[in-house]
Amino acid sequence: MERTVPSGLWGIGLAAILLAGGVLTVFGWDTGSDPSGRLLAAAILLACFCGLLGQQGSSRGSEDVGPTLLLGGLGLGGVLGMEPFNRIFIVGLLAYAGFFLARHLAASLQKSLALVHVSLALMLAVLAIFMEEGRGVVGVLFLVLTFLPLVPFHLPFLGILRSSRESLGSVWLVVWLAAGLSQLQDLEAMLILHVEWKGVLPVLALVSALYASLKAMGHRLPREGLAYATITFLALLWGLSGEFSHIAEWGLPFGMAVALLMSALLCAYAFLHERYGSHPLNTLQGLGAGLPRFRGIFTFLISLIMLLPVLPVVAAFKDIPPEAPEAHFLFPVWLLLFTVWLSVSWVFTTMLHQTAFGKPRSDVPHRDLSVYELWALLLLMGTASMCGMMA
């Protein structure tokens, strides 16, 4: 494949993804398998497809074809495979994450801690393959926290997004969160058996949301800021899961909506990176004046993202079980909701103003979104909207 020209490699990658989707449609999705697995698999295939589609003509897009196909295969096996084969693919995903961090993340304390975290998760995942009781309450929590991170379990997720380009990071984000969402059933069963964790989760989620939102406000580079914004959204999923049952019913569509919209935002910044290189957000202002299609799609994308905190609340309160806690016990949940909503509104309105509606710069050349880039964003946004309506 290294001898293939970039355009040919790009075509091979898209063809492989379309072939995988066709094979799963014909042979894999009509066999009575779990519908949640089908939703996650469709999201992974879509993220891989859009991640490559928008890189048509990119100077470095061909370098992402191999990692994208590998991530897609590991993610599909993890969310669709039968036990214990799906756990083997989860082990493979963790092993590749460790390799990716060791190779691409700059040497630092964060890198060392992230590798230690991935190593522990990898040992727990391997143990779960050979021992039926290998995943106790601690093992389930640790693995789910690895893929649906709360602070301070966010370092592998943060390191992966920080060390990958935006186009590949958009695929990593969807595959990583899909692996965690596929384990929501295990998390719900654990919370039913260990009710003492239900009162702790909203407090932990609130602390995580406060820390992550402050870090998102302070970062000027898109990848780090979006990683912390994603962790802020996931705090809402964890906080509500501690108080309301049926996590898989409302948590999975909400998590997929978060993953796909954050993936679309990373793709949008990948398109800007192709045009202008790597710059802090406050140095490329006023792009909407010369990129009208980008301004329209970017504004709509930010609007959808700011609606995300509403989805899990409406879904969780829609069918309140008889044993639901009284109003005064829900104070941490309401506090978490307002913290997430206010913080992400601040982060993304600032991001929108700085990128599309700031003071225009006459010294920056303008080249609007291509048809491939536009369709990549529209597909991700449309699918995320459908997931939001399912919540």
Side-chain angles (χ1 to χ4, degrees):
M1 294 179 68
E2 292 178 353
R3 299 179 181 178
T4 308
V5 296
S7 59
L9 195 58
W10 177 79
I12 291 173
L14 286 182
I17 295 169
L18 291 174
L19 179 62
V23 169
L24 288 175
T25 301
V26 174
F27 298 105
W29 288 358
D30 296 325
T31 58
S33 59
D34 186 5
S36 62
R38 297 197 295 269
L39 175 63
L40 295 174
I44 291 172
L45 285 172
L46 180 67
C48 294
F49 180 78
C50 293
L52 293 182
L53 181 66
Q55 296 303 305
Q56 195 275 337
S58 172
S59 59
R60 300 184 64 185
S62 59
E63 298 178 16
D64 293 336
V65 173
T68 297
L69 295 180
L70 178 59
L71 281 174
L74 292 173
L76 288 176
V79 302
L80 280 180
M82 301 293 293
E83 291 193 5
F85 298 106
N86 60 337
R87 299 179 184 178
I88 297 175
F89 283 93
I90 294 296
V91 168
L93 180 60
L94 288 169
Y96 182 55
F99 168 78
F100 192 86
L101 289 170
R103 183 176 182 181
H104 296 287
L105 190 60
S108 62
L109 178 61
Q110 177 196 331
K111 177 178 181 178
S112 302
L113 294 176
L115 288 174
V116 170
H117 184 130
V118 171
S119 299
L120 291 175
L122 187 60
M123 286 189 291
L124 285 172
V126 171
L127 189 65
I129 297 176
F130 298 102
M131 298 179 62
E132 195 66 29
E133 301 297 328
R135 297 202 307 171
V137 57
V138 176
V140 171
L141 264 180
F142 192 81
L143 282 176
V144 180
L145 281 168
T146 299
F147 291 111
L148 300 175
L150 289 178
V151 176
F153 302 95
H154 65 296
L155 293 181
F157 176 72
L158 177 64
I160 286 171
L161 291 191
R162 176 177 288 175
S163 57
S164 59
R165 291 185 295 276
E166 286 86 353
S167 55
L168 183 59
S170 66
V171 179
W172 263 113
L173 191 147
V174 174
V175 173
W176 197 258
L177 295 192
L181 293 170
S182 67
Q183 302 179 59
L184 283 182
Q185 295 285 1
D186 294 337
L187 177 64
E188 185 170 11
M190 185 274 295
L191 291 177
I192 293 174
L193 294 175
H194 301 272
V195 293
E196 64 273 9
W197 287 95
K198 290 188 175 183
V200 179
L201 285 178
V203 178
L204 294 177
L206 178 60
V207 173
S208 177
L210 286 171
Y211 177 85
S213 60
L214 290 174
K215 294 290 286 187
M217 294 176 190
H219 273 285
R220 296 299 181 186
L221 293 176
R223 286 172 296 181
E224 286 85 344
L226 293 180
Y228 279 112
T230 304
I231 296 168
T232 305
F233 280 121
L234 293 177
L236 195 56
L237 188 151
W238 280 99
L240 290 178
S241 66
E243 299 294 343
F244 298 101
S245 57
H246 310 296
I247 306 169
E249 294 181 10
W250 57 265
L252 191 142
F254 168 69
M256 273 295 93
V258 170
L260 291 173
L261 288 179
M262 293 295 106
S263 177
L265 205 49
L266 282 169
C267 283
Y269 279 108
F271 304 152
L272 294 183
H273 184 274
E274 177 64 23
R275 288 160 171 79
Y276 307 112
S278 179
H279 289 280
L281 294 176
N282 56 357
T283 62
L284 287 177
Q285 298 187 10
L287 294 180
L291 284 71
R293 276 193 289 191
F294 174 81
R295 177 174 57 187
I297 203 78
F298 195 77
T299 303
F300 187 46
L301 176 58
I302 295 294
S303 302
L304 289 177
I305 291 173
M306 291 172 61
L307 287 175
L308 281 175
V310 181
L311 301 180
V313 176
V314 173
F317 280 89
K318 184 169 56 178
D319 298 314
I320 300 180
E323 67 275 9
E326 298 180 7
H328 61 280
F329 289 113
L330 292 177
F331 176 74
V333 175
W334 289 113
L335 184 59
L336 172 65
L337 169 64
F338 286 113
T339 299
V340 172
W341 201 347
L342 291 176
S343 61
V344 299
S345 297
W346 176 275
V347 169
F348 287 105
T349 51
T350 304
M351 185 178 294
L352 177 64
H353 173 73
Q354 290 176 331
T355 303
F357 292 98
K359 183 179 179 180
R361 291 181 52 175
S362 58
D363 59 331
V364 175
H366 297 300
R367 177 165 58 92
D368 210 349
L369 295 179
S370 68
V371 175
Y372 296 100
E373 294 168 337
L374 187 63
W375 271 108
L377 295 178
L378 288 175
L379 287 171
L380 289 170
M381 292 164 56
T383 308
S385 301
M386 289 191 291
C387 290
M389 290 186 289
M390 292 170 56

